[in-house]
Amino acid sequence: MVRFSEANSKIVALMEVDALKPYLTEGKKVYSFDLLSGHNCPFANECHSQVIINNEGKKRIQDGANTKFRCFSASQEVLFPAVYNMRKANSDALHGLSAARMSAVINNAIPKNLGICRLHVGGDFFNPIYFQAWLTVVANNPDRLFYGYTKSLPYWVNNIALVNQLDNLVLTASYGGRRDDMIETYNLRAANVVNHPDDTDLEIDHTDEHAANPAKRHENFSLLIHGIQPVGSEASKGIKRLKAEKIKFAYGKKVSV
């Protein structure tokens, strides 16, 4: 049994985007499907963070050896026990299944009023079988839109012909992974995280409007640093500057499960 999450305060804004409203008729809504962060991110590098639990049952963030900016969704899992528990339950339910069984489990759990789904606020495609399972789910739901950021680029590239055939799937390669070289080699649409608007010439996507829009599936964009960052890091200095200059970079504290 797996569960989809209701839209958080960032992606719920997609309901106001004209280009996406055809997917949200008749009361349909935005959801996400999430897994534990870090534990399900095999190609994460510069954002690799995950929750670990000590012998006393207390949770804390463990950053990777090359972490430059802490994964905001891993921080959510420390702050909100229900979020951690739901993502762990999804992760546990899917690991070890065949692609056919995974796709069936996911498909059977889709809420009837789901119009748009983000893959994943937490986690990533953890192995090629899981990626293939989602391709089946997307193909079986042509009236619904699925989008997501991923660093699991080998799985995308190995299935690139099928991905390109799915009009209702919009993927974004996320810079900062272990296979960034594949982004340019295979001309993948990509997003990078910046510490300040001055650091990019690309559009900054504050609401996932760019990430989700099928009409922009070939246009690169940037994201502003957000979430709780390690003290003294360049990312934390970036957030301090954004706050001082009153530049929006956070998306509220609402986290739905």
Side-chain angles (χ1 to χ4, degrees):
M1 179 66 178
V2 297
R3 289 176 56 196
F4 286 71
S5 302
E6 294 183 2
N8 62 26
S9 56
K10 176 182 180 180
I11 64 176
V12 74
L14 296 178
M15 298 184 72
E16 305 302 321
V17 179
D18 288 340
L20 302 178
K21 287 182 178 178
Y23 293 98
L24 298 169
T25 59
E26 301 177 348
K28 292 180 181 177
K29 296 183 179 181
V30 182
Y31 287 82
S32 67
F33 187 85
D34 305 311
L35 306 169
L36 277 182
S37 306
H39 299 278
N40 295 284
C41 303
F43 294 93
N45 187 31
E46 294 180 357
C47 67
H48 192 224
S49 307
Q50 61 187 23
V51 173
I52 61 171
I53 302 177
N54 65 20
N55 293 334
E56 298 175 352
K58 294 183 179 179
K59 300 183 184 72
R60 70 175 180 86
I61 290 287
Q62 181 181 70
D63 293 322
N66 299 317
T67 298
K68 291 185 178 179
F69 48 95
R70 180 173 292 163
C71 174
F72 79 96
S73 62
S75 296
Q76 289 177 340
E77 293 161 14
V78 169
L79 295 172
F80 304 101
V83 171
Y84 175 89
N85 292 338
M86 182 178 182
R87 293 175 179 177
K88 185 178 188 304
N90 283 352
S91 303
D92 291 346
L94 294 174
H95 277 270
L97 300 182
S98 67
R101 183 58 184 152
M102 277 192 210
S103 62
V105 168
I106 294 168
N107 203 75
N108 290 338
I110 294 177
K112 292 182 178 180
N113 65 343
L114 184 150
I116 298 175
C117 180
R118 172 168 165 174
L119 317 170
H120 310 78
V121 172
D124 200 345
F125 300 106
F126 56 80
N127 66 25
I129 295 173
Y130 177 61
F131 187 87
Q132 291 161 9
W134 269 111
L135 295 183
T136 300
V137 172
V138 172
N140 288 340
N141 292 273
D143 58 333
R144 292 172 162 131
L145 177 65
F146 300 84
Y147 79 97
Y149 304 84
T150 182
K151 291 181 171 66
S152 297
L153 305 186
Y155 309 154
W156 179 356
V157 168
N158 288 341
N159 295 275
I160 199 164
L162 182 53
V163 171
N164 291 341
Q165 293 173 14
L166 295 170
D167 294 335
N168 60 324
L169 176 62
V170 185
L171 293 178
T172 301
S174 178
Y175 272 107
R178 295 193 292 109
R179 290 308 309 270
D180 283 0
D181 60 290
M182 301 183 85
I183 294 174
E184 184 174 349
T185 300
Y186 294 95
N187 194 29
L188 305 177
R189 194 272 289 269
N192 66 327
V193 176
V194 297
N195 290 334
H196 192 273
D198 291 347
D199 297 336
T200 182
D201 294 324
L202 299 174
E203 175 188 354
I204 294 176
D205 190 356
H206 292 283
T207 63
D208 270 7
E209 174 180 354
H210 192 135
N213 191 342
K216 296 185 176 183
R217 66 171 73 241
H218 300 299
E219 300 177 17
N220 297 338
F221 59 96
S222 293
L223 300 167
L224 276 182
I225 189 71
H226 50 281
I228 301 170
Q229 298 301 324
V231 175
S233 66
E234 291 302 314
S236 69
K237 294 175 184 176
I239 285 180
K240 183 177 181 180
R241 180 183 176 189
L242 293 173
K243 288 180 177 179
E245 297 180 13
K246 294 182 170 54
I247 296 173
K248 178 184 176 182
F249 67 94
Y251 308 110
K253 296 183 178 180
K254 176 188 174 185
V255 178
S256 299
V257 296

